[in-house]
Amino acid sequence: MENVLLKNINNPGGHTLKNYLAGGGYEALKKTFKVTPDDIIQTMKDSHLRGRGGAGFPAGLKWSFIPKDPTVDKYVCCNADEGEPGTFKDRGIIEYDPHLLIEGMIIAGYAIGAATSYIYIRGEFEFGAKRLEAAIAEAYDKGYLGKDILGSGFTHDMYVHRGFGAYICGEETALLESIEGYRGQPKKKPPFPALSGLYSKPTIINNVETLACVPPIIAKGVEWFTSMGPEKSPGPKIFCVSGHVEKPGLYELPMGTTLREIIFDHCGGIKDGKNFKAVIPGGVSAPLFKEDNLDISMDFDSVMAAGSMLGSGAVIVMDETTCMVKSAYIVNRFFSHESCGKCTPCREGTIWATKVLRRIEYGAGRPDDIELLESICDKIFGRTFCALGDGAVMALRAFINNFREEFKYHIENKKCMVQA
Amino acid sequence: MLTDKTLEEIERIKKKYPNTKSACMEALQAAQREKGHVTECDMRAVAEALDIEPVEVQEVGGFYTMYNVEKPKGRHHVQVCRNLSCSLLGAEHIILAIEQELGIKTGETTEDDRITLSTAECLGSCGTAPMMQINDEFHEDLTVDKVSDILKGLK
Ligand SMILES: Cc1cc2nc3c(=O)[nH]c(=O)nc-3n(C[C@H](O)[C@H](O)[C@H](O)COP(=O)(O)O)c2cc1C
Ligand code: FES
């Protein structure tokens, strides 16, 4: 399959406007201006493009929720917070093909009638933020941004907003709070951002990869997009593969490629000839799978049906030497570190679970610690504002349910079952 | 006190948003760029530049982990990722090797103020794990030998 989203990933000079134009860049924008905003929204609906940030919500549907009133300001926000551990695809697009994102955002702006957009990029991506700012400046210079773009009468301004260390700002309402200059804490929904988002105005928030899919859908057509993957979740998808594989990295593959194909065909199998043990299919919030699930199709619905999430497409592979108690501890420690502190079950529960996991890992586990962990999970799940707490619980339950023996061994023998 | 350069930068940041409060995060980042951390005094100056209350700036400074509030760090801030993908590929060995080489523990700064060592959560570089960030720069595909060379190069 030809790379479209990662076309320039091995092309060090690929990020410039000159290169982007040479590859047919901004042609989709020209095509866009020849049709109405509603036509674009219909095209996005027909493409069945689903959000690549984690939840898989249909992008065209989201855009169609924006009120049509031309007197109301509207905003496009790009979620480039990329904090889900295991995920590094948005950084790839931003660093190697920033104009692909910018073009997608201008088209989104035209579709919903937004004059302004913000790219919320995580603070650590200094290089990426500079790349984006340089690319935006190039786009202004050549008339792809600013007043009356390409003589279309459509005006659009685009800004980079830099985060500064907070995983929770990837959650869309927290992200908006952060742009407004507050602490990044989630807000109650409804109202949904489509009606009351940034500065209480109608706002769409989409992931980098979602927006990067927009120009090729317009340029190559809906049929091209839907020719890949299952009917309800089509298109190309970037998988971020890390952990114990021979060739970790970014892989653009059709949605619906199986985990087995990703790990063994594309990534060269398990590192150093070891045996497979487990895989997290969609970032650390997603429940892990054992070998019996390797043949499921990596698309939103199939992974969900198997009890996990496609999430951000971050595939983390663990070989036979991996200690599951330690891995669960690392993952939980992350969630307790990143809990924003707004709701008690998440704030206190993740800290408590981390403490218990830590003592099991360091040989001081108590006989009923597994039951204790399970009861902590029950007290967090479904009782929090945003999905951070639920993610932490689902991940931890999967570690315990799939590797209960290992947890027991750790507690009883005060040491690890696997030889690391 | 903020330098004129920072104040100019803050004026540029203000133009991006319909109100000045939104500029708070990036204005405080600009202030931190001056000397690697921000003081109470800087936060008051940012508040004044944005015409908002000092407490609004302090709230931001206290919430986001990349602001170093009143905490002068070493000239080089070495942050080693400790999240899952990096850990699977030996992040602990890297951290241990750095502690040994520098004679400090994680969270500490060398006596000559050259290096502060911390750990970080996933930095979005898991395909080239293990990795670390030194100030604004990423160092990927680390090995113990490679880390030792990188540390020696920090002045
Ligand atoms: C705790 C938490 C963290 C999230 N982090 C991210 C993130 O880093 N990037 C992202 O695109 N979406 C993230 N999301 C999902 C967003 O809330 C939102 O669904 C997404 O940006 C919508 O864009 P999409 O429809 O294009 O996927 C996160 C959600 C939660 C609950
Ligand atoms: S886990 Fe270390 S960079 Fe992602």
Side-chain angles (χ1 to χ4, degrees):
Chain A
M1 186 182 111
E2 179 206 0
N3 274 355
V4 173
L5 305 173
L6 296 178
K7 188 162 76 178
N8 284 315
I9 199 82
N10 293 317
N11 177 7
H15 61 282
T16 59
L17 179 59
K18 189 165 157 259
N19 186 70
Y20 189 63
L21 291 173
Y26 289 106
E27 289 302 321
L29 186 63
K30 289 179 192 157
K31 250 175 123 172
T32 296
F33 289 146
K34 293 195 182 114
V35 298
T36 67
D38 280 343
D39 290 337
I40 296 297
I41 292 181
Q42 191 57 47
T43 302
M44 297 319 292
K45 280 185 172 168
D46 294 342
S47 76
H48 290 106
L49 168 64
R50 291 172 64 174
R52 296 337 193 201
F57 193 83
L61 191 61
K62 188 186 278 188
W63 297 8
S64 74
F65 293 153
I66 297 289
K68 307 274 179 225
D69 184 352
T71 64
V72 175
D73 288 343
K74 304 173 188 79
Y75 292 99
V76 173
C77 290
C78 169
N79 192 340
D81 197 45
E82 190 147 80
E84 181 66 24
T87 317
F88 47 102
K89 66 192 175 66
D90 300 340
R91 179 180 160 215
I93 294 173
I94 285 168
E95 291 184 0
Y96 291 95
D97 226 341
H99 285 285
L100 184 64
L101 171 61
I102 293 169
E103 186 176 10
M105 290 180 67
I106 304 169
I107 296 170
Y110 177 77
I112 67 158
T116 312
S117 57
Y118 292 98
I119 302 172
Y120 189 101
I121 185 167
R122 66 179 291 185
E124 292 87 345
F125 289 174
E126 168 85 13
F127 181 78
K130 291 213 168 107
R131 267 261 151 109
L132 267 178
E133 272 168 353
I136 289 173
E138 277 182 316
Y140 269 107
D141 196 43
K142 292 284 184 288
Y144 296 107
L145 277 171
K147 286 207 173 63
D148 188 18
I149 298 171
L150 305 175
S152 65
F154 177 65
T155 292
H156 194 80
D157 287 309
M158 189 176 292
Y159 306 100
V160 174
H161 179 96
R162 296 191 56 190
F164 222 49
Y167 166 72
I168 193 61
C169 286
E171 195 282 333
E172 56 187 24
T173 59
L175 180 148
L176 298 178
E177 288 285 285
S178 183
I179 297 180
E180 291 190 30
Y182 295 92
R183 288 184 292 187
Q185 291 186 319
K187 284 204 293 197
K188 193 161 76 69
K189 291 188 277 192
F192 287 93
L195 295 181
S196 177
L198 190 60
Y199 306 114
S200 304
K201 305 286 190 213
T203 303
I204 56 167
I205 300 142
N206 277 119
N207 173 258
V208 173
E209 188 186 354
T210 314
L211 290 161
C213 285
V214 173
I217 290 173
I218 307 277
K220 293 169 182 281
V222 165
E223 294 70 31
W224 163 78
F225 193 77
T226 54
S227 72
M228 282 167 273
E231 195 187 336
K232 293 214 167 88
S233 131
K237 171 81 194 92
I238 304 176
F239 295 102
C240 320
V241 191
S242 67
H244 295 136
V245 288
E246 282 293 344
K247 292 183 286 178
L250 295 176
Y251 293 85
E252 180 177 339
L253 300 168
M255 195 67 101
T257 306
T258 68
L259 275 169
R260 193 183 298 281
E261 287 164 340
I262 293 173
I263 298 169
F264 292 94
D265 298 346
H266 296 283
C267 296
I270 305 300
K271 197 165 157 21
D272 302 331
K274 297 229 169 57
N275 288 316
F276 170 90
K277 182 167 185 176
V279 59
I280 296 177
V284 298
S285 308
L288 58 79
F289 285 144
K290 291 208 283 199
E291 183 133 27
D292 53 347
N293 270 321
L294 281 182
D295 292 310
I296 65 154
S297 146
M298 285 288 276
D299 64 79
F300 290 105
D301 304 317
S302 306
V303 182
M304 179 89 81
S308 187
M309 300 188 296
L310 183 67
S312 55
V315 176
I316 307 173
V317 181
M318 293 172 260
D319 74 13
E320 56 190 325
T321 67
T322 311
C323 169
M324 288 298 150
V325 174
K326 182 176 169 191
S327 300
Y329 165 57
I330 289 171
V331 169
N332 229 267
R333 180 179 65 188
F334 164 76
F335 286 118
S336 67
H337 186 258
E338 297 299 338
S339 175
C340 79
K342 182 160 173 162
C343 1
T344 317
C346 173
R347 182 186 64 227
E348 302 299 324
T350 52
I351 292 176
W352 194 10
T354 303
K355 234 180 184 168
V356 176
L357 285 163
R358 188 185 151 81
R359 74 179 176 229
I360 302 176
E361 164 65 11
Y362 287 98
R366 301 172 192 169
D368 50 2
D369 270 352
I370 296 178
E371 292 72 35
L372 178 58
L373 285 171
E374 285 173 329
S375 91
I376 296 171
C377 285
D378 295 343
K379 287 181 181 108
I380 301 174
F381 194 78
R383 295 168 205 266
T384 54
F385 252 111
C386 84
L388 188 147
D390 287 351
V393 167
M394 291 188 303
L396 179 53
R397 280 178 178 159
F399 273 106
I400 297 175
N401 292 341
N402 284 292
F403 296 97
R404 190 173 295 269
E405 289 310 312
E406 230 178 272
F407 280 77
K408 272 196 190 143
Y409 187 95
H410 241 279
I411 293 170
E412 281 162 17
N413 299 281
K414 313 213 173 297
K415 61 172 193 213
C416 189
M417 202 166 145
V418 293
Q419 303 294 320
Chain B
M1 278 294 287
L2 301 174
T3 62
D4 287 345
K5 188 167 159 258
T6 302
L7 288 170
E8 272 168 37
E9 172 83 11
I10 292 177
E11 287 309 309
R12 195 189 59 76
I13 294 166
K14 272 160 80 173
K15 293 202 179 78
K16 304 204 294 192
Y17 308 97
N19 65 36
T20 59
K21 184 172 170 71
S22 284
C24 176
M25 268 184 88
E26 291 203 354
L28 201 55
Q29 291 167 17
Q32 177 155 309
R33 234 169 273 133
E34 281 186 8
K35 50 187 180 297
H37 67 285
V38 285
T39 61
E40 283 296 321
C41 184
D42 297 330
M43 290 198 263
R44 272 198 299 277
V46 166
E48 193 175 319
L50 299 180
D51 199 17
I52 60 177
E53 295 299 323
V55 62
E56 296 177 81
V57 182
Q58 284 155 6
E59 237 186 37
V60 164
F63 184 83
Y64 298 93
T65 56
M66 287 172 65
Y67 294 110
N68 302 320
V69 181
E70 302 281 6
K71 215 174 6 179
K73 298 258 182 188
R75 287 194 297 285
H76 305 279
H77 188 191
V78 175
Q79 293 179 276
V80 188
C81 173
R82 63 172 188 178
N83 213 299
L84 189 56
S85 306
C86 283
S87 163
L88 290 172
L89 294 177
E92 278 98 291
H93 298 294
I94 301 291
I95 295 167
L96 216 69
I98 299 177
E99 288 184 339
Q100 272 166 5
E101 173 124 6
L102 299 178
I104 57 173
K105 290 259 165 253
T106 301
E108 295 177 351
T109 303
T110 54
E111 261 178 30
D112 55 2
D113 280 343
R114 191 166 66 100
I115 297 174
T116 299
L117 175 64
S118 328
T119 51
E121 296 300 349
C122 178
L123 290 163
S125 215
C126 335
T128 41
M131 65 82 65
M132 64 182 178
Q133 182 176 10
I134 303 179
N135 296 347
D136 287 334
E137 218 172 306
F138 281 13
H139 298 265
E140 300 163 270
D141 289 317
L142 297 178
T143 59
V144 169
D145 287 343
K146 199 166 159 187
V147 166
S148 170
D149 288 342
I150 294 169
L151 293 179
K152 287 196 183 83
L154 300 177
K155 291 290 159 252

